[in-house]
Amino acid sequence: MLKGKHIILGITGSIAAYKAAYIIRALVKKEAEVQVVITPAGKELITPLTLSTLSSHPVISEFFSNRDGTWNSHVDLGLWADAMLIAPATASTIGKMANGIADNMLVTTYLSCKAPVFVAPAMDLDMFAHPTTQQNLDRLRSFGNHVIEPAEGELASHLVGKGRMEEPDRIVEILEGFFSQKQELKGKKILITAGPTYERIDPVRFIGNYSSGKMGFALAEACAQRGADVALVSGPVSLQAKHPAIHRISVESAEEMYQATVSRFPGMDAAILCAAVADYRPEVLEKEKIKRESTGEMTLHLLPNKDIAATLGEMKEGKQRLVGFALETHDGLHHAMDKLRRKNLDFIVLNSLEDKGAGFQYDTNKVTLLDKEGRVQTFPLKRKEEVASDIIDKLSALLKKG
Ligand code: PMT
């Protein structure tokens, strides 16, 4: 799977830098082409001569060569790569990557790189556990980078804990796994709704909810990574879709989401309805800001919004598949099953606010999948990216069956 792949290996100033030699050897053995970019601190721990000999490429560290003025283009390098792996990644480099501090060749290359990025942290256990490091790693994850969790064990400081860079063979296995990822959704078109909707009351106020869009965006990335073309209809969220196969359509209200979704559904193979759509909107949209002084006590008269899932359930034809969500606070299984039938879904993803770490805004979710054949699959609390993968596994199997 790695044969012919172009891999940038970023090496930073950790004692684990010596393991980079083993990574190069393993990658080259699998016929990948490796280009090393090393930070100045990295060069203190392993020599460029070792790395260039193993990779058969000159090692890049500076923006240009003092000897002959040759310019090293981080942009060209970023475009050349099929993947960038930073191993070992120190707390300092992780911080720079998370905050765009491009003061060396490695971080500028990272910022220019369009290919998937893998980060293998290596540091002392307390540095790894520090909230700054954890927040920076979360930030990298939110950019779509893959963090290869460090292992527990004896560290360079002789302390024992989590912070030891994952073993080279395992890192290479992870890269291999990534490239062998099934592209089983190639040629499929998938429509996804995400985020909240805002229902305007007046120019400064709205009715909304806490949805961050994380679950819906994770689903969009998972589908795109497996080869699908994704139309992502999103309510107001601050997230960015990263994969080039995701076409984002931004909407605000439930009515706008309804129009954007219903008009696109006929050309789709499947739709996943993850948005937290407001069930009601104010009957009247005030043109000017409502003033408490002149209005006093007030009553909002609300009208029900159209149900997007139920509409698509009626429109669904032939091999089209429809996946809904149910966000519940009690009697989850009962309510989810009811929605599954009422909206003519193929399966429904139940998440409950009764479960800690599940639902709105968390990076994690805990879901149960219920299908129309009555099968029930319960999953433990996982990161939303992993939850998305579980959901897409089930959808893929359904689409394959036809
Ligand atoms: O965005 P995050 O912060 O990551 O949070 C994720 C989430 C909690 C929003 C997500 O996991 C989730 O549960 N989304 C559905 C929330 C919801 O509105 O559930 P519901 O039980 O009210 O709706 C049932 C289904 O009908 C959903 O698929 C919903 O998208 C759909 N619906 C609801 C109302 C409506 N007018 N149109 C719809 O299509």
Side-chain angles (χ1 to χ4, degrees):
M1 285 301 166
L2 288 168
K3 188 173 173 176
K5 294 285 183 233
H6 293 173
I7 314 286
I8 301 174
L9 175 61
I11 303 173
T12 71
S14 153
I15 189 69
Y18 76 91
K19 291 188 183 174
Y22 294 96
I23 297 177
I24 300 173
R25 215 172 56 170
L27 288 172
V28 169
K29 226 171 164 177
K30 294 191 184 279
E31 298 182 61
E33 210 176 315
V34 183
Q35 173 62 67
V36 173
V37 182
I38 192 165
T39 62
K43 284 195 288 188
E44 302 289 327
L45 290 135
I46 185 162
T47 70
L49 183 59
T50 307
L51 301 167
S52 64
T53 307
L54 288 170
S55 66
S56 308
H57 279 292
V59 168
I60 298 174
S61 180
E62 312 298 334
F63 291 106
F64 58 89
S65 157
N66 273 331
R67 198 159 36 89
D68 58 8
T70 315
W71 170 256
N72 288 319
S73 168
H74 54 91
V75 177
D76 287 352
L77 202 52
L79 291 173
W80 171 85
D82 292 305
M84 181 171 185
L85 164 67
I86 296 117
T90 56
S92 161
T93 292
I94 289 167
K96 287 180 184 180
M97 289 163 65
N99 293 286
I101 302 171
D103 65 351
N104 63 39
M105 190 64 191
L106 191 154
V107 182
T108 44
T109 304
Y110 164 71
L111 292 179
S112 314
C113 187
K114 286 193 161 41
V117 177
F118 296 79
V119 185
M123 64 196 78
D124 174 62
L125 76 164
D126 293 316
M127 284 176 85
F128 183 70
H130 197 281
T132 308
T133 309
Q134 289 305 315
Q135 276 173 19
N136 286 334
L137 285 170
D138 278 346
R139 194 121 201 262
L140 296 186
R141 286 190 189 98
S142 78
F143 301 155
N145 300 164
H146 305 261
V147 175
I148 303 174
E149 288 290 322
E152 301 221 6
E154 188 176 346
L155 304 165
S157 58
H158 302 300
L159 293 170
V160 176
K162 190 168 176 177
R164 225 176 118 102
M165 188 178 85
E166 186 51 279
E167 290 307 318
D169 284 348
R170 177 68 194 129
I171 291 178
V172 173
E173 211 175 278
I174 290 169
L175 277 183
E176 235 178 346
F178 177 81
F179 283 114
S180 68
Q181 232 176 39
K182 302 156 272 170
Q183 291 278 295
E184 78 269 28
L185 294 179
K186 204 145 198 79
K188 300 284 183 213
K189 291 189 166 55
I190 303 198
L191 179 64
I192 297 177
T193 66
T197 65
Y198 287 178
E199 311 302 320
R200 289 189 191 202
I201 298 170
D202 71 9
V204 299
R205 303 178 180 93
F206 60 85
I207 297 172
N209 60 64
Y210 298 113
S211 173
S212 63
K214 286 179 188 171
M215 190 68 249
F217 276 60
L219 284 161
E221 295 291 336
C223 287
Q225 274 170 19
R226 295 190 195 198
D229 282 324
V230 180
L232 175 63
V233 179
S234 175
V237 296
S238 58
L239 302 177
Q240 305 285 339
K242 287 164 214 100
H243 200 289
I246 302 175
H247 170 56
R248 176 176 177 173
I249 304 106
S250 297
V251 297
E252 184 179 293
S253 65
E255 178 59 26
E256 286 172 13
M257 186 172 275
Y258 178 90
Q259 297 300 342
T261 307
V262 168
S263 61
R264 282 174 175 81
F265 186 57
M268 296 287 158
D269 294 288
I272 310 174
L273 304 164
C274 183
V277 187
D279 285 319
Y280 293 94
R281 68 181 184 282
E283 182 178 26
V284 178
L285 165 58
E286 297 294 341
K287 288 203 171 54
E288 291 175 348
K289 183 178 175 185
I290 299 167
K291 293 286 181 199
R292 189 177 53 170
E293 297 76 13
S294 50
T295 311
E297 198 171 289
M298 69 175 285
T299 304
L300 271 182
H301 191 247
L302 303 177
L303 298 177
N305 282 325
K306 293 171 193 152
D307 190 319
I308 302 167
T311 307
L312 300 194
E314 282 168 20
M315 291 169 69
K316 192 169 70 164
E317 283 185 338
K319 293 178 177 171
Q320 281 187 312
R321 300 291 175 203
L322 199 53
V323 181
F325 270 70
L327 178 63
E328 305 298 340
T329 54
H330 61 284
D331 297 336
L333 284 172
H334 168 75
H335 290 301
M337 199 51 95
D338 175 56
K339 284 176 187 169
L340 173 82
R341 294 210 181 96
R342 235 174 344 101
K343 303 189 189 211
N344 191 23
L345 306 171
D346 291 280
F347 69 93
I348 193 160
V349 183
L350 163 66
N351 45 182
S352 170
L353 296 186
E354 284 180 303
D355 292 316
K356 200 166 174 292
F360 290 130
Q361 299 201 347
Y362 293 110
D363 291 329
T364 51
N365 206 357
K366 183 173 184 313
V367 303
T368 302
L369 307 187
L370 296 90
D371 66 24
K372 60 181 185 191
E373 284 77 31
R375 283 182 287 254
V376 177
Q377 255 177 300
T378 301
F379 294 85
L381 189 75
K382 295 184 181 189
R383 294 191 62 78
K384 280 184 173 160
E385 293 80 11
E386 296 171 279
V387 174
S389 180
D390 292 335
I391 295 167
I392 303 310
D393 281 346
K394 184 160 177 84
L395 177 61
S396 293
L398 276 181
L399 287 169
K400 202 168 162 193
K401 235 171 33 185

